[in-house]
Amino acid sequence: MDPDKEDRIQILMNKMAKRVHARRFQLFPLFEDFDRVRNGHVTQSQFLRVLNDLGLLTLLTGFEKDNLLEKFRVRVGGRDDMDYITFCHELNTLAGFEAGIP
């Protein structure tokens, strides 16, 4: 990704991290509900559904949402999925949560 996109993503991740920290959201369980094979990936629509359920999707403009999807998109078996593990780790780190501690 180009540096401008990375900067924009960092700003929106910080915006989401503030809400995650304030509300003490547990991110992994909601994503894991969709990840039946436990490979760390969900579909784009499942990823967006979790963000919507957490109230994080409303923080993003359409352009920001597209940048976020591009950042965490991975190619799995011929289709594009979302790497929720990396997303959750980055967001939890920005929110100030320690890994492995609820």
Side-chain angles (χ1 to χ4, degrees), residues 24-43:
R24 308 295 293 176
F25 287 140
Q26 294 294 316
L27 302 172
F28 284 104
L30 294 171
F31 285 108
E32 288 173 338
D33 287 345
F34 291 111
D35 186 11
R36 303 227 188 277
V37 295
R38 298 292 189 248
N39 67 356
H41 305 109
V42 295
T43 67

Side-chain angles (χ1 to χ4, degrees), residues 13 19 41 44 76 89 93:
M13 290 289 287
R19 175 148 317 160
H41 305 109
Q44 180 175 305
V76 178
H89 280 300
T93 298

Side-chain angles (χ1 to χ4, degrees), residues 44-85:
Q44 180 175 305
S45 62
Q46 291 167 335
F47 184 82
L48 293 173
R49 181 174 173 186
V50 170
L51 293 183
N52 187 54
D53 289 349
L54 293 170
L56 299 175
L57 197 57
T58 59
L59 298 174
L60 310 177
T61 66
F63 184 68
E64 290 173 329
K65 179 183 77 169
D66 292 342
N67 286 331
L68 183 70
L69 294 174
E70 182 181 345
K71 165 91 173 158
F72 295 102
R73 186 174 291 129
V74 292
R75 192 87 173 146
V76 178
R79 73 171 195 212
D80 290 331
D81 278 348
M82 304 304 297
D83 179 1
Y84 75 85
I85 299 281

